[in-house]
Amino acid sequence: MSNRVVCREASHAGSWYSASGSQLNAQLEGWLSQAQSTIRPARAIIAPHAGYTYCGACAAHAYKQVDPSVTRRVFILGPSHHVPLSRCALSPADVYRTPLYDLRIDQKVYADLWKTGLFERMSLQTDEDEHSIEMHLPYTAKAMESHKDEFSIVPVLVGALSESKEQEYGRLLSKYLADPSNLFIISSDFCHWGQRFRYTYYDESQGEIYRSIEHLDKMGMSIIEQLDPISFTNYLKKYRNTICGRHPIGVLLNAVAELRKSGLEMNFSFLNYAQSSQCRNWQDSSVPLTKHPKRLFRKGRRFMLQKK
């Protein structure tokens, strides 16, 4: 039996973010220094996966809420952009490389998830082609650097799940969400607007196009804050908003719904909203238009979330 360690390379370093550890570290420190820490520890965050030029400052608002002293395992749920996937998939790697330091995958949790029969195994090529998980690795490494030898990660690639599948994965992962030593990172941008995305929803009553997009996104944000997976699904059906992480968000909302059945009180709130560009005419486009860090807190036996 081979004991070879399989490493996933930082394939988007040098293009989507700096490949220089020192430069990347300085950038992350700068963005984090501009964000405010409120109630910690965060139990779950939703943050963007665009290039750091676009979303680095925005993502800092989410990662500022992470408390490395209590976090021992980080689940990262990202949508699949490049391969058709109707379920969720696990990585074949043992280690994820970043320009800061390597992150170790929790193979015990992976084994437990694999035993359920609900997961596929993606290829290393698929893993390295995908950016939705990788874009959270440097921030995770930075947020956890004071305890870098004391935590592991659980990357999960989320496919185009049906409502029933979102419920099934939510129920499965709810026990991990209930554990205060686990942090959930949900990877998602919001509206991708423009003809090249085949999405040009426009409510003229909101004024400029970018204002219409903001109104649409904030409508969805408000629904997510209600922690109601059914309402979020209905919103997506009605407006078809191109939220690329809608399925990871759906899994999280269903996990929360499962825990609420046992009487746990939870709250969820957005900390920041930004657009990569302001669309003013039909030729414009906005690539990962919105970046919404959100956080889920637990205080004592209760989950709490506060707005900035």
Side-chain angles (χ1 to χ4, degrees):
M1 180 178 293
S2 173
N3 292 321
R4 182 175 65 92
V5 174
V6 178
C7 296
R8 181 204 184 276
E9 299 299 327
S11 53
H12 292 76
S15 53
W16 291 56
Y17 59 92
S18 176
S20 164
S22 59
Q23 183 180 44
L24 179 60
N25 185 66
Q27 289 174 335
L28 295 174
E29 285 186 349
W31 289 320
L32 287 166
S33 70
Q34 299 300 310
Q36 298 297 314
S37 175
T38 53
I39 296 179
R40 298 168 74 188
R43 297 296 305 283
I45 61 174
I46 303 179
H49 53 239
Y52 281 4
T53 299
Y54 298 102
C55 77
C58 190
H61 292 274
Y63 282 93
K64 189 75 169 185
Q65 315 313 318
V66 175
D67 186 346
S69 69
V70 299
T71 303
R72 291 297 172 264
R73 189 180 295 112
V74 180
F75 287 76
I76 308 173
L77 276 60
S80 175
H81 286 87
H82 304 295
V83 297
L85 190 63
S86 62
R87 301 198 297 169
C88 291
L90 305 177
S91 172
D94 300 293
V95 169
Y96 273 18
R97 296 198 183 282
T98 83
L100 301 181
Y101 59 89
D102 293 345
L103 303 179
R104 176 178 54 84
I105 291 179
D106 193 316
Q107 295 298 333
K108 182 182 184 305
V109 172
Y110 252 28
D112 291 341
L113 294 178
W114 183 255
K115 289 175 184 176
T116 66
L118 297 176
F119 292 83
E120 300 178 19
R121 187 76 69 174
M122 64 178 127
S123 69
L124 187 60
Q125 186 64 57
T126 294
D127 200 351
E128 292 184 343
D129 287 345
E130 181 57 61
H131 64 277
S132 69
I133 293 174
E134 180 180 341
M135 297 309 295
H136 292 280
L137 302 179
Y139 252 121
T140 297
K142 181 61 181 174
M144 294 295 299
E145 65 179 348
S146 63
H147 291 71
K148 66 180 183 179
D149 297 322
E150 301 171 25
F151 80 99
S152 57
I153 63 171
V154 184
V156 177
L157 188 64
V158 180
L161 306 180
S162 64
E163 291 177 53
S164 62
K165 285 292 185 183
E166 288 182 0
Q167 294 169 5
E168 187 172 25
Y169 285 107
R171 286 193 297 269
L172 174 65
L173 295 176
S174 64
K175 69 176 183 179
Y176 297 103
L177 181 61
D179 185 340
S181 67
N182 290 334
L183 167 69
F184 274 73
I185 297 172
I186 308 300
S187 177
S188 183
D189 303 316
F190 269 56
C191 183
H192 295 62
W193 193 94
Q195 295 181 26
R196 66 190 179 112
F197 298 115
R198 298 181 182 178
Y199 188 77
T200 53
Y201 171 89
Y202 178 39
D203 181 353
E204 292 184 4
S205 69
Q206 299 301 318
E208 299 259 25
I209 292 173
Y210 73 90
R211 293 291 187 189
S212 170
I213 298 168
E214 179 177 351
H215 181 262
L216 176 67
D217 280 336
K218 289 190 173 180
M219 193 188 314
M221 293 162 64
S222 178
I223 291 171
I224 292 170
E225 287 179 336
Q226 298 170 20
L227 297 174
D228 181 356
I230 295 176
S231 294
F232 183 57
T233 296
N234 290 338
Y235 161 81
L236 293 172
K237 288 179 178 178
K238 181 175 181 178
Y239 294 101
R240 304 292 179 181
N241 193 357
T242 51
I243 301 173
C244 56
R246 58 192 175 276
H247 296 298
I249 293 172
V251 170
L252 176 66
L253 294 181
N254 278 283
V256 171
E258 187 68 20
L259 293 181
R260 276 182 155 179
K261 293 177 183 178
S262 61
L264 287 173
E265 183 177 339
M266 306 169 207
N267 296 283
F268 208 70
S269 179
F270 286 85
L271 301 180
N272 190 266
Y273 177 90
Q275 297 181 352
S276 64
S277 63
Q278 293 186 343
C279 296
R280 299 176 186 274
N281 61 65
W282 296 104
Q283 285 69 47
D284 290 341
S285 64
S286 191
V287 183
L289 185 59
T290 55
K291 297 94 179 175
H292 306 267
K294 312 157 188 93
R295 51 202 177 116
L296 178 67
F297 292 94
R298 176 169 177 157
K299 183 177 181 181
R301 297 193 62 178
R302 294 165 64 88
F303 286 87
M304 297 185 62
L305 195 81
Q306 300 244 337
K307 288 189 176 181
K308 180 182 174 186

